[in-house]
Amino acid sequence: MPVWRKGPIKMNSNQSVPYLDLLAQMKPLRKEIDSAIAKTLDNCSFCLGPDVAQFEKDFARFCEAEHCVGLNTGTSALHIAMLLLGVGPGDEVVTTPFTFVATSWAISYVGAKPVFVDIDDATFNLNPSLVERAITPRTKAVLPVHLYGHPCDLEPLLAICRKHNLPLIEDAAQAHAAKYRGKTIGTFGAMSCFSFYPGKNLGAYGEGGALVTNSAAHAARARALRDHGSTQRYYHDEVGFNYRLEGIQGAVLGVKLKHLAKWTSERRRVAHRYHELLAGTPLQLPREADFAESAWHLYAVRHPRRDDLKKHLEANGIGCGLHYPLPVHLQKAYAQLGHKAGDFPVAEKAARECLSLPIYPELADEQIQRVATVIKQFFNK
Ligand SMILES: Cc1ncc(COP(=O)(O)O)c(C=O)c1O
């Protein structure tokens, strides 16, 4: 059961820093949110409806894309992306083992096989230099993830996709507003998939997701697939799903989207402050590649004694998280693929060493300083 004020609350609550604090974000927006929700209730537009339609327009514009299709989750967006590309049983999709498992679920949902490729040690994202050798005649798509909000290196990946005539899909679930070479991510590939899970940089007050694309044909079919495969009520052209975005979530997202650019710069402030305060500690700090403007969904530091550091932070009232402790290829759910420890050593090492520190737009400088002080105490012990 998710808790939206995550992390231990210490006796001396001035000293505690929650890992995530959605209440702090909600408070100043509360009136705006309340009246947006009240409008949806007055309209009785609970499933899709005008608020979702307006949000779709606004989010498409934000991503500099032609179309946005609102969906119930990011996982559904990835599933629909697979269907739109005709990926099916016997096909392969090249992706990263270092991600939230939903990335590869979508591949499995359509009966295809996730083919994992190790990550780049500096960015935690799919390593473009390893992708080409994973391509076979069965490969149908390449599905990189902009993990932690840091864009993956799209140019070399797109060059490989062009050479092999493969579509690229961006898993942008963690990367709203991130930029690759100065351009907002979301339209580099054939389509991109966003999550609006509450803890995301743009989070609903419930579940939410979207598929963003410049293709009118893909958008139209995605709209039908999310609504039981129909464009006309009670006429079903293909087997579809109930993947509709709720009206109330459309209203909430519409309000929150107006703040996303400001929140992203606040996240950048927090990241830069951590860089300053933690420089010189034994931690390996996350850095933006020269092509990237990260959305700083997460700030993941690395250290071989990660588990001890986590205990120390928690004992001192600092919330922190593991993203992700077990790479996808070693999950029980994928045992049938026959992978073993050592197959993707860079991802496996990252899984052992990464620790996510609190990062959100509302994090005050004193809180950042507190996190840094407690980390320094750990290393000075
Ligand atoms: C990288 C990545 N892909 C996909 C998803 C799935 O999104 P959702 O939780 O909205 O289904 C998530 C969400 O946690 C994610 O982080």
Side-chain angles (χ1 to χ4, degrees):
M1 172 81 67
V3 178
W4 299 118
R5 204 163 186 283
K6 278 188 186 167
I9 305 299
K10 239 194 126 200
M11 299 293 278
N12 179 355
S13 63
N14 286 337
Q15 301 270 292
S16 75
V17 182
Y19 175 65
L20 191 63
D21 192 352
L22 293 191
L23 206 55
Q25 187 182 76
M26 188 197 291
K27 273 184 186 159
L29 297 182
R30 190 56 189 259
K31 274 200 184 134
E32 236 184 311
I33 296 270
D34 282 351
S35 64
I37 292 178
K39 207 171 104 216
T40 313
L41 297 183
D42 288 341
N43 292 337
C44 291
S45 50
F46 302 120
C47 305
L48 301 175
D51 295 316
V52 169
Q54 186 59 50
F55 170 69
E56 288 176 335
K57 273 195 200 129
D58 295 343
F59 194 62
R61 196 176 314 119
F62 187 89
C63 297
E64 301 167 51
E66 295 288 325
H67 310 278
C68 165
V69 180
L71 299 163
N72 62 337
T73 65
T75 307
S76 302
L78 289 159
H79 183 194
I80 288 198
M82 293 293 126
L83 294 165
L84 294 176
L85 296 173
V87 181
D91 293 335
E92 295 176 355
V93 176
V94 174
T95 192
T96 167
F98 196 55
T99 179
F100 181 62
V101 72
T103 309
S104 58
W105 281 164
I107 302 166
S108 305
Y109 289 169
V110 296
K113 178 182 167 192
V115 172
F116 299 113
V117 165
D118 213 348
I119 56 168
D120 169 59
D121 199 43
T123 64
F124 302 111
N125 284 326
L126 202 56
N127 185 338
S129 69
L130 303 176
V131 165
E132 199 157 15
R133 71 186 76 150
I135 292 172
T136 74
R138 289 185 295 279
T139 309
K140 273 289 169 68
V142 177
L143 174 53
V145 179
H146 304 307
L147 198 76
Y148 303 160
H150 187 289
C152 53
D153 196 358
L154 286 157
E155 265 173 16
L157 290 172
L158 286 164
I160 294 164
C161 286
R162 273 192 299 274
K163 182 172 163 196
H164 294 271
N165 198 22
L166 293 169
L168 181 144
I169 306 144
E170 298 170 65
D171 181 338
Q174 302 186 0
H176 324 69
K179 290 187 178 168
Y180 179 76
R181 299 203 182 279
K183 182 174 161 43
T184 306
I185 56 94
T187 54
F188 285 90
M191 57 196 95
S192 57
C193 302
F194 288 87
S195 165
F196 305 124
Y197 186 66
K200 294 291 196 268
N201 289 22
L202 178 63
Y205 290 157
E207 303 281 353
L211 185 130
V212 165
T213 179
N214 280 335
S215 157
H218 281 331
R221 190 161 166 233
R223 284 181 202 288
L225 282 168
R226 77 174 169 185
D227 200 9
H228 298 286
S230 69
T231 47
Q232 191 187 349
R233 203 157 198 198
Y234 303 130
Y235 292 84
H236 307 277
D237 303 333
E238 62 178 320
V239 174
F241 305 86
N242 182 352
Y243 282 174
R244 295 176 296 231
L245 181 62
E246 292 183 347
I248 286 175
Q249 303 311 337
V252 168
L253 289 165
V255 170
K256 292 182 79 178
L257 179 58
K258 292 185 219 143
H259 301 270
L260 183 57
K262 179 187 71 203
W263 286 337
T264 308
S265 35
E266 288 299 309
R267 284 176 179 276
R268 298 182 67 72
R269 166 189 62 84
V270 177
H272 291 139
R273 201 68 180 109
Y274 276 137
H275 291 345
E276 283 170 8
L277 293 170
L278 298 175
T281 66
L283 291 178
Q284 190 178 324
L285 304 179
R287 288 285 173 203
E288 284 173 311
D290 56 2
F291 55 74
E293 236 177 80
S294 177
W296 292 108
H297 175 55
L298 299 182
Y299 189 92
V301 296
R302 291 179 70 156
H303 195 269
R305 289 179 58 212
R306 185 270 311 274
D307 292 337
D308 293 336
L309 176 58
K310 181 170 186 286
K311 276 190 208 135
H312 173 80
L313 285 169
E314 287 172 348
N316 284 281
I318 313 287
C320 46
L322 301 183
H323 303 92
Y324 296 91
L326 187 67
V328 182
H329 66 286
L330 298 178
Q331 296 287 346
K332 221 191 258 178
Y334 281 114
Q336 81 282 4
L337 294 179
H339 287 297
K340 57 184 186 325
D343 282 359
F344 304 106
V346 186
E348 290 165 31
K349 189 159 185 277
R352 284 193 300 273
E353 293 187 348
C354 279
L355 183 67
S356 308
L357 303 182
I359 186 165
Y360 35 92
E362 300 75 20
L363 204 63
D365 202 61
E366 308 78 73
Q367 292 177 298
I368 306 169
Q369 288 182 45
R370 172 79 187 139
V371 176
T373 302
V374 174
I375 289 175
K376 286 177 187 164
Q377 283 164 359
F378 174 78
F379 289 112
N380 291 335
K381 265 197 299 194

